Amino acid sequence: RRQPSVRDGPSATSTAAKFQFVDLAGSEKVKLSGAEGEQLSQAININHGLFVLGKAITALSEGSAHVPFRESKLTRILQNS
């Protein structure tokens, strides 16, 4: 977003940006980890979030009309980045 800067005169512009750091946990190999119960649920959610993030990045890089931001909590959070 560009806004006029009073300090630099009426024709000057400045740029604002948003930067987010996200700790992307590694992919969980459910069969090898032996996870059960809550840990299994978390591993499934991590894998799903990373899968959808990959789909969203691919869609954005290809200029797709549809980007699957609503398919996971992670992509909803990162949607405006």
Side-chain angles (χ1 to χ4, degrees):
R1 136 186 112 203
R2 298 199 180 272
Q3 301 171 345
S5 173
V6 175
R7 183 177 60 178
D8 297 328
S11 63
T13 60
S14 65
T15 302
K18 183 175 186 178
F19 191 80
Q20 294 184 2
F21 286 100
V22 179
D23 180 9
L24 299 175
S27 176
E28 300 292 331
K29 296 187 183 216
V30 176
K31 288 183 180 179
L32 296 177
S33 70
E36 296 178 351
E38 183 65 27
Q39 285 182 327
L40 176 60
S41 178
Q42 289 176 356
I44 290 169
N45 287 334
I46 288 169
N47 287 340
H48 177 72
L50 293 173
F51 173 72
V52 175
L53 178 61
K55 285 176 46 178
I57 291 170
T58 299
L60 287 168
S61 67
E62 293 175 350
S64 176
H66 172 71
V67 180
F69 288 122
R70 294 184 179 185
E71 291 185 22
S72 82
K73 189 181 289 187
L74 175 63
T75 51
R76 279 193 300 262
I77 291 169
L78 295 175
Q79 181 173 357
N80 65 354
S81 293

